[in-house]
Amino acid sequence: MIEKITAYRFERLDETLSQLNREDCAIIAGGTDVMVLHKSRRGVPPKIPKPIVFINHLSELKQVYQHHKDLHIGACCTYSELLENPLIPFALKNAIKTIAAPAIRNRGTLGGNICNASPAGDMLPLLYVYNAKLLLRSVNGDRMVAISDFIQGPRQVQRFHNEMVTEIILPFVLGDSHVVFDKVGNRNADAIAKVSFAGFVRISKDRIDDIRFAFGAVGPTMVRSIDIEKKLVGKTIPLADADIAEIVAAFDKIIRPIDDQRSTAAYRKTVALHLLRYFLSMKQYQPN
Amino acid sequence: MIKFTLNGRTVETDAPATARLLDLLRDEFELIGTKEGCGEGECGACSVFVNNLLQNSCLIPIGSIVGADIQTIEGIIETEQFKILDESYSIAGGVQCGYCIPGMIMASAALLSENPHPSEAEIREGISGNLCRCTGYNMIVEAINLAAKKGDGL
């Protein structure tokens, strides 16, 4: 039996938003997550329970530009497009090179990775440490949301059905900053993370001006604690062993991973704390 | 009706927009060179070119390729690049059971088109989305290396 499927593909963003305003739809950008999530038998189209709107052809969602020094990234930029774009920071590009493999990077989009809201979403720890904001657009206008407020839990985001994430905004970062991304999986390419970690630090002379960490795949959403980060601001590097131990102990309390088919809670926690300790040792980069 | 270009020819289908490109290629157009391995974008056996970019056809709903230019392994078989890859894979012993090979060849071709003289690390990165359970990869890497030398820019 052939089931009827309703799908839309408009030439313009405004027409797409009008349709979203009329009807609750599943939005498909690259499809790399949706197609797996709703996969059925061979030869049978995935069963997606809502009408579908395709958006990955919309050029309005592929712009990358600077505005008041902030970097605006169109939600439908694929990873490959980001790698080729001169405006994307090197730290982000280095991380993207470790994500997926060429074929998926040619298809998966930054907006899709965010809206899929997987606890193991590869770009999420990085976007958290960049304090990324999302521009949500609807027929009623625009609103801006911090990524940490937008993502509420596994596959849960704070998006009304008439809205679409159209841009990811990376706020301007002062001075020299170092960004690190680590991912632990069964395979270098195309693996879903067992644990991931992003660290961000800005140092002037030997003093830490700003430091941020986010852990992926060890909780329902990314684990980040601004309170813990604040404890390190103003300290000089190299950090004292006692300072490192205090920060690691603080995260030990708030990181509560689970056992699943990919890894165990104990492994995830141990590795997450090791990655943190390694980052705090500041061996991953050479301060000026 | 969804219309696109398939191996140089304009085609259309009335399959649903969520149908996987992989199923359409194999079942409707009988292009069975493109294989299904994992069906989740992890093995690369279903690799095709979409507007000259390597992609996994198991993850592509056909509603998103309206007007696109799709090439499968059958579509590149007449190219000089394919002939050199074919020969190099034979010489290096890069093929055992063969199931992954159409995808491997697509990934090899994509790599050499973008980077005609890749290093070993770049070759391994280029085929990192493709799984082979027979060769242990070394012979495939060697085959691509050989093709890069013979093709010299192809």
Side-chain angles (χ1 to χ4, degrees), chain A residues 42 52 105-107 187, chain B residues 18 42 54-55 64 125 128:
Chain A
R42 199 203 74 77
I52 289 144
R105 291 201 291 266
N106 284 337
R107 185 140 195 99
R187 179 180 161 204
Chain B
T18 50
E42 289 182 10
L54 187 73
Q55 298 193 4
S64 72
E125 166 62 25
S128 63

Side-chain angles (χ1 to χ4, degrees), chain A residues 2-3 5 7 9 28-32 35-36 39 41-46 48 52 54 56 84 97 100-107 187 189-190 192, chain B residues 16-20 23 26-27 36 38-43 47 50 53-56 58-66 125-131:
Chain A
I2 296 171
E3 285 174 57
I5 290 163
R9 183 183 186 277
I28 298 188
T32 55
M35 293 296 279
V36 176
K39 191 179 167 217
R41 301 194 310 282
R42 199 203 74 77
V44 179
I48 299 169
I52 289 144
F54 292 106
N56 70 334
E84 282 162 19
K97 285 181 197 155
I104 301 246
R105 291 201 291 266
N106 284 337
R107 185 140 195 99
R187 179 180 161 204
D190 284 346
I192 298 173
Chain B
T18 50
R20 303 184 305 170
D23 291 326
R26 292 181 56 87
D27 299 345
E36 174 158 15
C38 67
E40 301 188 349
E42 289 182 10
C43 77
S47 302
V50 179
L53 295 173
L54 187 73
Q55 298 193 4
N56 301 317
C58 74
L59 299 178
I60 302 179
I62 58 167
S64 72
I65 54 151
V66 174
E125 166 62 25
I127 57 165
S128 63
N130 297 70
L131 294 178

